[in-house]
């Protein structure tokens, strides 16, 4: 591969027909000097002129010299767009869907500007128009940074951030609601647990046995019976309505007296 005027060419096209190599006496021109670097602002979907002007002294007096300007979009990787010769010839590699317009009749005066129609977001960035003589002899170049106005960036950024802001606000409200619901659920669960534990304590069979024993002792004392006497208990369950059946069971104690003979 050979870079001809900054553009990679296949081996078979190393030396295109009609293209001359740099003369030894012209090597002093190959300084690759940056002439200028400017910023050009434009709105998207509008047309913009990318200026590129070289002094006539850099072109020389020979109007038939192999001098041309190559336009490159300095993206990664670089995008080679087109070449405009001093005689008005145009060689294109990428015209951005024919959105690039050239002015070949102005090149003789050193004007190699181009017009870019319907600017897209992908068109923004750094451009370079480089003046060559022959092959790989860069005389000078200019840089043009295409950008949109700061006001447009602010508006675009505002619209872009609006959905994010709304989403963040909605997420915050949802999170707050979940926290409130969780708080009340935990509180309710705690109260429910306390009541359940209390109920379970009262219904514990261990405590029921103690209570029954105490009730039995008090009943014996009321009947004038000794607490040591053996008592048979007859249990009568309630009859009738469910509420009556749920009442405390009636317990009838019958004393048994043992008589011993001497």
């Amino acid at each position: 591969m050979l870079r001809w005027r900054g553009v990679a060419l296949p081996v078979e096209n190393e030396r295109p027909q009609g293209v001359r190599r740099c003369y030894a006496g012209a090597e002093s021109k190959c300084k690759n000097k940056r002439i200028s670097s400017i910023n050009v602002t434009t709105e998207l979907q509008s047309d913009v002129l990318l200026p590129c002007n070289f002094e006539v002294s850099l072109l020389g007096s020979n109007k038939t010299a192999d001098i041309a300007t190559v336009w490159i979009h300095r993206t990664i990787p670089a995008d080679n767009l087109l070449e405009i010769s001093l005689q008005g010839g145009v060689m294109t590699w990428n015209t951005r869907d024919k959105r690039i317009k050239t002015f070949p009749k102005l090149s003789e005066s050193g004007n190699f500007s181009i017009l870019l129609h319907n600017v897209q977001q992908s068109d923004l960035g750094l451009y370079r128009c480089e003046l060559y003589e022959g092959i790989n002899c860069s005389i000078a170049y200019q840089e043009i940074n295409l950008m949109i106005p700061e006001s447009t960036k602010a508006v675009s950024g505002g619209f872009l951030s609006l959905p994010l802001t709304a989403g963040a606000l909605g997420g915050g409200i949802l999170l707050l609601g979940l926290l409130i619901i969780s708080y009340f659920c935990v509180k309710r669960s705690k109260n429910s647990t306390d009541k359940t534990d209390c109920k379970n304590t009262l219904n514990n069979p261990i405590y029921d046995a103690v209570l029954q024993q105490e009730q039995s002792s008090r009943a014996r004392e009321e009947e004038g019976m000794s607490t040591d006497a053996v008592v048979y208990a007859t249990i009568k369950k309630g009859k009738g309505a469910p509420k009556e059946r749920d009442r405390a069971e009636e317990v009838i104690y019958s004393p048994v007296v043992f008589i011993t003979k001497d």
Side-chain angles (χ1 to χ4, degrees), residues 199-214:
K199 183 177 180 180
N200 289 341
T201 301
L202 294 177
N203 292 336
N204 193 313
I206 298 177
Y207 296 101
D208 290 343
V210 174
L211 292 174
Q212 289 177 3
Q213 185 177 2
E214 292 178 353

Side-chain angles (χ1 to χ4, degrees), residues 141-202:
Y141 67 92
Q142 299 178 26
E143 291 181 339
I144 303 95
N145 186 25
L146 182 61
M147 54 196 299
I148 59 177
E150 292 296 330
S151 58
T152 304
K153 291 181 181 179
V155 172
S156 300
F159 281 117
L160 290 175
S161 61
L162 184 59
L164 296 178
T165 303
L169 181 60
I173 294 175
L174 179 61
L175 180 60
L176 180 60
L178 291 175
L179 290 175
I180 294 174
I181 293 173
S182 299
Y183 170 77
F184 283 106
C185 286
V186 171
K187 186 175 181 180
R188 182 176 180 182
S189 176
K190 183 178 180 181
N191 293 337
S192 176
T193 302
D194 293 341
K195 292 179 181 178
T196 302
D197 290 342
C198 181
K199 183 177 180 180
N200 289 341
T201 301
L202 294 177

Side-chain angles (χ1 to χ4, degrees), residues 242-261:
K243 291 185 178 180
E244 296 179 353
R245 289 199 300 267
D246 293 338
R247 294 176 181 176
E249 297 173 344
E250 182 181 359
V251 181
I252 300 175
Y253 296 95
S254 299
V256 177
V257 180
F258 292 91
I259 300 174
T260 58
K261 293 181 180 180

Side-chain angles (χ1 to χ4, degrees), residues 65-193:
D66 185 20
I67 293 178
T69 294
V70 175
W71 275 93
I72 301 174
H73 189 192
R74 305 283 289 184
T75 54
I76 301 175
D79 187 10
N80 302 306
L81 302 177
L82 52 87
E83 173 190 300
I84 306 173
S85 69
L86 182 63
Q87 294 77 32
V90 179
M91 182 182 296
T92 60
W93 295 286
N94 184 357
T95 61
R96 301 289 171 85
D97 297 328
K98 298 182 179 181
R99 291 186 294 111
I100 298 179
K101 177 178 174 56
T102 60
F103 307 94
K105 293 182 179 180
L106 302 178
S107 58
E108 186 176 340
S109 62
N111 187 346
F112 299 91
S113 304
I114 61 175
L115 180 65
L116 181 59
H117 292 285
N118 191 22
V119 174
Q120 305 297 313
Q121 185 73 32
S122 58
D123 295 327
L124 303 179
L126 185 64
Y127 288 81
R128 181 168 174 165
C129 66
E130 192 164 358
L131 184 65
Y132 283 91
E133 181 174 0
I135 298 175
N136 291 334
C137 176
S138 174
I139 300 174
Y141 67 92
Q142 299 178 26
E143 291 181 339
I144 303 95
N145 186 25
L146 182 61
M147 54 196 299
I148 59 177
E150 292 296 330
S151 58
T152 304
K153 291 181 181 179
V155 172
S156 300
F159 281 117
L160 290 175
S161 61
L162 184 59
L164 296 178
T165 303
L169 181 60
I173 294 175
L174 179 61
L175 180 60
L176 180 60
L178 291 175
L179 290 175
I180 294 174
I181 293 173
S182 299
Y183 170 77
F184 283 106
C185 286
V186 171
K187 186 175 181 180
R188 182 176 180 182
S189 176
K190 183 178 180 181
N191 293 337
S192 176
T193 302

